[in-house]
Amino acid sequence: ASPFGIVNPDWDGLNKSVGGRLYTGAPVGLPCHDNFNSQPHDPDPAACSVVEQHRRDMDWLITQMSGYAQGNWGVCQRPNSGCATSPTGPPINASTPCNQGNIPSYYVDVRQVSDIAAVFAFAAENKKPVVVKNSGHDYKGRSAGLGSLALWMHNYRQPLTLDANFVPDGCVEGVGPGITFGAGEGWDGVFAFAKTHNLTVAGGSSEWVAPGGGWIAGGGHSGLSPRYGLGADNALQLRVVLPNGTYATASHCQNRDLFFALRGGGGGTFGVVTEMTTAAHPGTPVQWASIVFSSLTGPQQRALTAVLVANANAWAAAGWGGYAYPAGARPGGLYPVQLMNPHDLNPSEVKAALAPLLDFAASVNATPVLTSYPNFYDLYLDKIKGSLSMYGNFGLAQASRLVPSTLFAGAENQTLLTDTLIAAMASSPVPTDPKLSMMVLMVAPPPASQLPDSDSAVAPAWRRCTWHVIFSTAWDPADSSLTPAAVATKYRAVTTAMDPLRAITPGGGAYLNEGDTYEPDPVAAFWGRENYARLSRVKGEVDPKGMLQVFGGVGSNADDQRFACYPSL
């Protein structure tokens, strides 16, 4: 029987055409329940034990089609219906209602290009809503959808290859070293492969993220971006299946408008990327500076923020990127700062570059840890990999802002920015929820004039920014006491928290992949109006029937059934 209300679609035919890899979608917690969609269900104790053991484990969740880094997207949040597994709560109660929620009703485990083409043809004939899911590390729920048919790309792999002077299709000259991988490959595999060839790639900080999925579609930032640029700047070629089933190759020499759109235009909108080639840079030592400030008073928090603001532009120009987690109301005044720089610097040069930060650390008795790694991969293994493994399955709402470099220049601007950030940290727009937090990503990419190919759809604000600031709030998606209205309030809260920063950054933007689900001006923030006009033209050319739809995406229809589970604001 069809879950979509269509009479007798040829599910058997689709299953045969994809090699028997068509499956029904079900919540990861279903084995623990004695009911499903208001019908009796036989629990599976062995499978339930696995769920209980791994319910917040990202290493496991990415191997499940219905596993999401943010568990709220597996739930139909508007009526608060689903089968969420609590990341922190007690053992699952078998009698707790378990429903399909926002989990795709069917999915195809994609292993080859023809699988994608078959699903598109089937969906077009039977008017099926299609979504694309890779690792499930999507803060905006674009890889889930009520009553949808999912293309699960996690297992689309191929041997990684290196070309010392990669020549994109349609080009006559090479563009330097390029590493090619399948869309299901995560950063962990790409980083390891690059290391074996003494190369470095500009990659993300979560090993489970598949760069050929939503990461590159949103533009892709990295802690190494101040030296190497965004993912969009490093992509050399993308192979993609379009909604009409065509298998196309896009590069700066071929299908340039499509190449533009696939790098920053948004995932699940223009086609399904199957293969990506990214630029690889010569391996170099990487400097790491980590200082965990604790027990900071309010004035000390302001002083530390002022130091970071005053030196942000100079550090970015010198190649320093990284992360800071302002304390705000966090217990103990904990305020970690982590910086990295892919340059061969001696200890004296590192200390000179970071002198203002190190001097402040000495004044509050904080101990810096300064380490030089022979390559990025060693830093990744020691400090990054696994650091977020047990943070899966939480509900999350967030908003972000790209802060222009001009706001870091001059005492007056620096004071304004510092005061705005401190005020935001000190307040929580959700009186009953102290979990509102701030994250500062120092990921300023080089200006477009310094890049060989910056013709991508990323927001122009990326070329003028130094910081990327995020406000977020988390919750347990299995908390039955949270009403739909309470969940909606959390989304409103992060929008409200970001408004003061929006007010002092006219012309600023936001990172599409980590932006506000309910961004007040998404066109200007995520793409810019000129880019959006071009993206709209591309969308009309490659997907004239609007088969691919994501919430808030280019050409999206707000009334699409795939969005029926988003909170009603």
Side-chain angles (χ1 to χ4, degrees), residues 293 296 299-301 303-304 307 355-366:
F293 297 92
L296 293 184
Q300 288 172 332
Q301 289 188 39
L304 173 54
V307 169
L357 181 61
L358 300 180
D359 289 345
F360 177 82
S363 73
V364 296
N365 297 316

Side-chain angles (χ1 to χ4, degrees), residues 219-446:
H221 68 57
S222 167
L224 305 180
S225 287
R227 180 170 186 182
Y228 300 128
L230 299 171
D233 306 321
N234 285 270
L236 304 178
Q237 180 169 284
L238 296 164
R239 299 195 192 277
V240 56
V241 181
L242 302 178
N244 66 3
T246 300
Y247 193 39
T249 300
S251 70
H252 66 282
C253 296
Q254 182 171 295
N255 292 316
R256 290 203 60 164
D257 279 348
L258 181 59
F259 194 48
F260 160 86
L262 293 174
R263 295 174 300 139
T269 300
F270 301 96
V272 180
V273 171
T274 61
E275 178 185 289
M276 175 176 167
T277 302
T278 189
H281 307 278
T284 181
V286 179
Q287 314 309 317
W288 174 259
S290 176
I291 311 176
V292 179
F293 297 92
S294 61
S295 303
L296 293 184
T297 64
Q300 288 172 332
Q301 289 188 39
R302 190 194 185 286
L304 173 54
T305 305
V307 169
L308 298 176
V309 168
N311 293 277
N313 282 345
W315 287 340
W320 290 95
Y323 317 93
Y325 307 86
R330 187 182 300 124
L334 203 64
Y335 195 144
V337 177
Q338 301 165 338
L339 300 173
M340 65 182 78
N341 191 335
H343 284 92
D344 189 3
L345 305 175
N346 63 46
S348 296
E349 291 171 321
V350 171
K351 291 178 180 178
L354 302 181
L357 181 61
L358 300 180
D359 289 345
F360 177 82
S363 73
V364 296
N365 297 316
T367 304
V369 177
L370 306 178
T371 310
S372 181
Y373 292 90
N375 53 67
F376 172 74
Y377 189 66
D378 286 355
L379 163 60
Y380 161 75
L381 289 180
D382 190 33
K383 298 297 184 184
I384 299 175
K385 183 176 179 178
S387 60
L388 300 175
S389 292
M390 300 308 291
Y391 287 89
N393 223 8
F394 286 90
L396 185 75
Q398 63 179 23
S400 74
R401 192 71 177 171
L402 301 174
V403 184
S405 303
T406 53
L407 205 53
F408 297 86
E412 185 176 348
N413 283 333
Q414 291 172 8
T415 297
L416 173 63
L417 178 56
T418 300
D419 288 346
T420 302
L421 293 174
I422 290 296
M425 282 187 277
S427 65
S428 174
V430 188
T432 60
D433 187 352
K435 298 178 182 178
L436 188 73
S437 62
M438 180 190 293
M439 180 179 183
V440 173
L441 295 95
M442 306 169 195
V443 293

